[in-house]
């Protein structure tokens, strides 16, 4: 049965109070709680981007963004893992049709974790490849059923070939490495593989995926699946950033109303400086939402220049600028929260730590993204492997 966007968002909003209540426990657990994953599965949210032929909803990227933004406003860690689990249904399409059908054989969603950082060893063998190495930042690893790895194949007489590899959970080792100041509840552990065989059909051409032309993508008529990889990856992370900023602004409103000077006993809400800081916070949250909507409007529009590296670099800069705006806005907020605002029970300190970590993500680094556009503009060579 088809589910409309409105019906799906109603389910999301019904889950938000529970996710908010679990936010602190999620952080302490260093991964989403089992009951949270069950809620995500039972609600049907994780099938948002899955092709209909695999039993999915095949709704738009803007729908996925609304889901993630809403959840991230109460728990960025939960929003982050939700985004990557929803997005996994898109990323699996980089692989062959046989691999896709294997992943979606018994359900219309996939709990898949992975990273774009290349493995150390990839060897071509009869029928496939053998891979060895360790990668970091595998968000959602604790509950993942599949893992993706990147690697480069070197064969004599041929140019290096970047590939993606799809590996089932039983073939990997999850290392308990996720100890970090922010985004603590994402379970983004290191993953290792040791001489694991990956059959040819579970590989995907990363270079073609960067342009949105991997054969596995093109078997689906919906142009949503033909987007270049990097703008799509930005579509996974930017709603988390904006949702976190909006959640922080809401928490700051409440903190400003509640805060009272320990010595003066003066209410913070009566101070002009607090009122101005609050106004700036609300303006920043509103601006971020407007920029996010514009980002998705451009992303979804079918434009011939989408596969051009310059266009992809522009999308990356828009995402990085959003993250920088959010970080700066939250830095301004926390100067007015007082000591009690940093207690573990205060949501705003968690948003502060989470956004501080998010804003230095490799995909969202403002310096790298700005430099790339600067070099394009000045007709200088650009060597970003993700473009």
């Amino acid at each position: 049965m088809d589910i409309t966007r409105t019906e799906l968002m109603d389910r999301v909003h019904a889950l938000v109070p529970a996710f908010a209540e679990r936010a602190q426990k999620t952080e302490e657990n260093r991964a989403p709680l089992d009951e949270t994953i069950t809620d995500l599965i039972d609600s049907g949210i994780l099938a948002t981007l899955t092709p209909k032929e695999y039993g999915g909803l095949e709704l738009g990227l803007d729908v996925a963004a609304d889901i993630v933004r809403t959840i991230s406003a109460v728990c960025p860690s939960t929003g982050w893992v939700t985004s990557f689990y929803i997005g996994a249904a898109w990323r699996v399409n980089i692989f062959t049709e046989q691999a896709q059908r294997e992943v979606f054989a018994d359900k219309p969603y996939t709990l898949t974790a992975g990273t774009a950082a290349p493995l150390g060893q990839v060897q071509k063998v009869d029928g496939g490849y053998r891979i060895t190495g360790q990668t970091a930042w595998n968000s959602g690893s604790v509950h993942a059923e599949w893992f993706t790895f990147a690697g480069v194949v070197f064969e004599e007489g041929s140019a290096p070939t970047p590939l993606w590899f799809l590996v089932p959970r039983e073939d990997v080792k999850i290392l308990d490495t996720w100890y970090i100041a922010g985004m603590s509840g994402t379970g983004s552990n290191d993953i290792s593989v040791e001489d694991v065989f990956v059959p040819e059909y579970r590989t995907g051409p990363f270079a073609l995926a960067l342009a949105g032309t991997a054969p596995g993508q093109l078997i689906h008529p919906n142009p949503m699946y033909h987007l270049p990889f990097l703008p799509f990856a930005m579509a996974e992370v930017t709603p988390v950033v904006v949702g976190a900023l909006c959640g922080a602004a809401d928490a700051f409103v409440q903190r400003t109303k509640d805060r009272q000077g320990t010595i003066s006993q003066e209410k913070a809400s009566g101070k002009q400086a607090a009122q101005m800081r609050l106004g700036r916070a609300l303006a920043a949250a509103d601006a971020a939402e407007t920029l996010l909507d514009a980002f998705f409007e451009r992303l979804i529009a079918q434009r011939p220049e989408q596969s051009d590296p310059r266009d992809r670099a522009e999308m990356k800069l828009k995402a990085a600028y959003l993250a920088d705006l959010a970080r700066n806005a939250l830095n301004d907020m926390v100067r007015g929260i007082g000591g009690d605002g940093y207690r573990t029970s205060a949501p705003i300190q968690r948003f502060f730590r989470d956004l501080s970590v998010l804003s230095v993500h490799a995909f969202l680094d403002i310096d790298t993204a700005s430099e790339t556009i600067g070099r394009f503009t000045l007709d200088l060579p650009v060597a970003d492997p993700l473009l």
Side-chain angles (χ1 to χ4, degrees), residues 16 44 46 75 192 199 213 273 277 289 297 311 345 357:
V16 161
L46 300 185
C75 181
S192 68
T213 57
R277 184 174 281 112
E289 290 197 297
E297 183 178 351
D311 189 81
S345 59
V357 170

Side-chain angles (χ1 to χ4, degrees), residues 104-172:
F104 295 116
D106 58 354
K107 56 184 181 298
Y109 64 89
T110 174
L111 306 182
T112 297
T115 179
L119 287 167
Q121 298 179 39
V122 178
Q123 180 185 7
K124 183 76 172 73
V125 296
D126 186 34
Y129 301 84
R130 289 200 170 274
I131 60 175
T132 296
Q134 181 174 325
T135 62
W137 314 103
N138 293 275
S139 299
S141 64
V142 173
H143 295 91
E145 300 167 334
W146 292 89
F147 290 85
T148 57
F149 296 88
V152 180
V153 180
F154 296 93
E155 292 187 275
E156 188 174 350
S158 301
T161 304
L163 292 176
W164 258 9
F165 302 92
L166 183 64
V167 180
R169 184 185 182 95
E170 58 265 26
D171 288 347
V172 311

Side-chain angles (χ1 to χ4, degrees), residues 251-302:
F252 186 51
V253 170
Q254 191 60 50
R255 177 64 190 151
T256 303
K257 289 179 178 179
D258 294 342
R259 188 184 172 197
Q260 184 172 334
T262 304
I263 298 174
S264 67
Q265 297 298 301
E266 185 178 357
K267 296 282 287 185
S269 58
K271 294 184 177 182
Q272 187 180 49
Q275 297 158 6
M276 294 168 65
R277 184 174 281 112
L278 184 57
R280 292 195 299 270
L282 295 174
D286 182 67
E289 290 197 297
T290 300
L291 289 173
L292 184 67
D293 290 341
F295 178 92
F296 274 87
E297 183 178 351
R298 175 168 170 164
L299 178 70
I300 293 169
Q302 296 183 44

Side-chain angles (χ1 to χ4, degrees), residues 157-239:
S158 301
T161 304
L163 292 176
W164 258 9
F165 302 92
L166 183 64
V167 180
R169 184 185 182 95
E170 58 265 26
D171 288 347
V172 311
K173 183 177 181 181
I174 302 174
L175 308 175
D176 186 17
T177 56
W178 193 238
Y179 296 87
I180 193 167
M183 299 301 291
S184 304
T186 61
S188 303
N189 292 298
D190 284 18
I191 305 297
S192 68
V193 284
E194 183 66 36
D195 195 32
V196 169
F197 174 72
V198 182
E200 184 78 41
Y201 77 90
R202 286 204 205 127
T203 66
F206 190 62
L208 294 180
L210 287 176
T213 57
Q217 294 176 277
L218 299 181
I219 65 175
H220 302 289
N222 192 328
M224 169 177 70
Y225 301 118
H226 307 163
L227 287 171
F229 169 76
L230 186 62
F232 171 77
M234 298 295 97
E236 291 182 290
V237 300
T238 48

